Amino acid sequence: MSGYMRNLLRLSVGVRRFLMTEAMYGIGIGMYSLVLNLHLLSKGMKEDEIGLLMSIGILIMGALAIPVSISANRIGRKKLLVSGIMFIAAGSALYAIGNHFGIFYLAQTLVSIGLTLVETTEVQLLFHYCASRKEEASAFSLMFAVFTAFTGAGTLAAGYLPNSADSGDGYGLTLLLAALVFVVHSMIRGIWLPSEGRESETIRTSEVLEVNHEVSSLRKKLPSGTLWLFSVFMALLGGAIAITGSFLNVIVKYRLNWMDDKVSILLAVSGAVLFTASLMTPYVLERFGHNVAIVSVFLVNILVFASLSWAMPVWMFTIVFLVRGGGLTMLSNLLDSQLMSAFKERERNLYAGMRSVFRSLGSSGAALLTGWILIGQDYEIPFFLTSVILLLCLIYYIWFIRPILDKRLKE
């Protein structure tokens, strides 16, 4: 463990700068996420209208993900990342000053464009700054840990900011402050993050040579079989996570018959567990290797989710529930980092786009299914379904993903 902690302090310069600036992104997202729906409700929108607005945003992200990922090499991932943060800032500000539904749809369009630009470039840019695959795994988990911790800080800060919901002005001040955080964040990243041009400092020489000498043919631009296999796997995993993740507060509230304050406390403690699990992921990977780590964490998650579908005392449910959060975070981080590391520089942008599209499809379908289940007030079956889908994911991983992953990570 002491060696692992020392290695975290020896990360490449670009990685350290990326992680330090990730804190501001987490604060902005935390502030924005907490108040947006409350702001729209105070402006007169109904719940189904808000749902339609968010659905259109997801469709926009799905439509843009692959085109953005294909153009990332030509335009530059750093440029797209910084531009994406500015789009989110513009959308947040427009939400704050808007007063009718047309403006809100325009604001959501800007936010969706921004999120697409960020989500399809940030991991590849972070990996670009890494000097080895080992560092990639550590950097990815640390990015998620920093984001999780400072999202909580932003959420907490937004909860104490004044609002004018009763007068119809909503939470405009919080949204404007979030926009300001995003603007400052984009400027810092634009100035402080290293340029992508210095490839000799960040990419293994063999990969650079392969990229520079690659023949730019149509056949090589099309997704490979491996890309499709990995993308389908991410759709299954995204669906498994979204079954309970999309309605976590609702499930806890009505299953335990708790008031909102108790639910918020449990979710806040769960956030701390997520942070710890993210920090521990690289250590688990280094200690046990990717195969043992992934299969073991899969099995733990399957057992945990299956047990949450049983009747149990409240104190036991809360403990197992917290373990669920940490286990699922560790599984997601392990798979995301290792699958991205399996691709070389020329394939990563396309995989990021396809991963985003397929994960969105799986998540949307799972959220819709859970909504139908919760209409019948069944708060146990979503956990059981998650364990079943995670078992299917494990079988898919062992049968299709692991042989390819073993081969590519050894190259």
Side-chain angles (χ1 to χ4, degrees), residues 85-118:
I85 299 166
M86 289 299 294
F87 270 106
I88 298 173
S92 182
L94 200 56
Y95 267 128
I97 64 176
N99 284 304
H100 59 83
F101 292 1
I103 294 295
F104 296 152
Y105 277 98
L106 177 58
Q108 184 59 47
T109 299
L110 293 175
V111 171
S112 296
I113 293 172
L115 289 174
T116 304
L117 292 173
V118 171

Side-chain angles (χ1 to χ4, degrees), residues 216-292:
S216 181
S217 65
L218 177 63
R219 180 178 62 83
K220 287 183 178 285
K221 292 180 181 178
L222 294 175
S224 65
T226 299
L227 281 167
W228 287 108
L229 281 173
F230 281 30
S231 298
V232 171
F233 179 66
M234 295 311 295
L236 287 172
L237 185 65
I241 294 172
I243 287 178
T244 55
S246 300
F247 298 92
L248 207 54
N249 55 343
V250 175
I251 292 172
V252 172
K253 177 181 177 67
Y254 290 105
R255 175 162 177 176
L256 301 181
N257 197 25
W258 276 4
M259 300 297 291
D260 291 341
D261 55 347
K262 281 191 174 183
V263 175
S264 64
I265 291 173
L266 179 60
L267 295 180
V269 175
S270 180
V273 175
L274 301 186
F275 172 77
T276 304
S278 298
L279 286 180
M280 291 299 299
T281 300
Y283 172 74
V284 172
L285 182 64
E286 183 178 343
R287 175 69 175 80
F288 299 102
H290 69 274
N291 267 328
V292 174

Side-chain angles (χ1 to χ4, degrees), residues 19-338:
L19 295 175
M20 283 187 279
T21 55
E22 184 72 10
M24 288 198 71
Y25 185 60
I27 292 172
I29 290 295
M31 297 173 67
Y32 171 86
S33 300
L34 178 68
V35 303
L36 178 60
N37 287 346
L38 299 174
H39 178 73
L40 294 175
L41 287 170
S42 70
K43 290 292 185 177
M45 290 193 80
K46 298 179 180 179
E47 287 83 351
D48 57 342
E49 293 172 332
I50 295 175
L52 178 61
L53 178 66
M54 299 305 158
S55 297
I56 291 176
I58 294 174
L59 290 176
I60 292 173
M61 292 178 66
L64 292 178
I66 292 180
V68 168
S69 64
I70 292 175
S71 61
N73 277 334
R74 179 168 52 86
I75 298 175
R77 286 162 294 197
K78 179 182 171 182
K79 291 180 181 178
L80 290 177
L81 178 65
V82 172
S83 299
I85 299 166
M86 289 299 294
F87 270 106
I88 298 173
S92 182
L94 200 56
Y95 267 128
I97 64 176
N99 284 304
H100 59 83
F101 292 1
I103 294 295
F104 296 152
Y105 277 98
L106 177 58
Q108 184 59 47
T109 299
L110 293 175
V111 171
S112 296
I113 293 172
L115 289 174
T116 304
L117 292 173
V118 171
E119 291 180 7
T120 54
T121 56
E122 61 176 352
V123 176
Q124 301 92 286
L125 182 61
L126 177 63
F127 281 16
H128 182 84
Y129 295 141
C130 294
S132 66
R133 282 187 171 134
K134 180 180 178 181
E135 188 176 18
E136 289 174 356
S138 298
F140 181 88
S141 294
L142 284 171
M143 180 188 75
F144 191 87
V146 171
F147 177 78
T148 301
F150 283 90
T151 297
T155 301
L156 185 63
Y160 285 95
L161 289 172
N163 68 79
S164 304
D166 295 336
S167 63
D169 292 334
Y171 296 76
L173 174 62
T174 304
L175 289 170
L176 284 174
L177 287 175
L180 178 61
V181 171
F182 287 129
V183 169
V184 175
H185 173 56
S186 67
M187 294 174 63
I188 292 175
R189 279 198 159 168
I191 296 172
W192 203 33
L193 289 183
S195 170
E196 292 180 79
R198 290 179 285 181
E199 293 184 328
S200 60
E201 296 179 8
T202 55
I203 306 177
R204 291 173 289 278
T205 305
S206 60
E207 293 189 9
V208 175
L209 292 174
E210 184 171 351
V211 172
N212 291 339
H213 293 89
E214 181 185 355
V215 178
S216 181
S217 65
L218 177 63
R219 180 178 62 83
K220 287 183 178 285
K221 292 180 181 178
L222 294 175
S224 65
T226 299
L227 281 167
W228 287 108
L229 281 173
F230 281 30
S231 298
V232 171
F233 179 66
M234 295 311 295
L236 287 172
L237 185 65
I241 294 172
I243 287 178
T244 55
S246 300
F247 298 92
L248 207 54
N249 55 343
V250 175
I251 292 172
V252 172
K253 177 181 177 67
Y254 290 105
R255 175 162 177 176
L256 301 181
N257 197 25
W258 276 4
M259 300 297 291
D260 291 341
D261 55 347
K262 281 191 174 183
V263 175
S264 64
I265 291 173
L266 179 60
L267 295 180
V269 175
S270 180
V273 175
L274 301 186
F275 172 77
T276 304
S278 298
L279 286 180
M280 291 299 299
T281 300
Y283 172 74
V284 172
L285 182 64
E286 183 178 343
R287 175 69 175 80
F288 299 102
H290 69 274
N291 267 328
V292 174
I294 291 173
V295 173
S296 299
V297 176
F298 252 125
L299 291 173
V300 169
N301 276 281
I302 292 169
L303 292 174
V304 166
F305 274 94
S307 65
L308 285 170
S309 65
W310 306 335
M312 62 178 69
V314 172
W315 66 268
M316 184 180 296
F317 177 87
T318 56
I319 293 174
V320 179
F321 180 84
L322 293 174
V323 174
R324 169 217 61 88
L328 203 57
T329 296
M330 185 171 289
L331 178 64
S332 180
N333 285 356
L334 281 170
L335 291 170
D336 277 334
S337 62
Q338 293 304 290

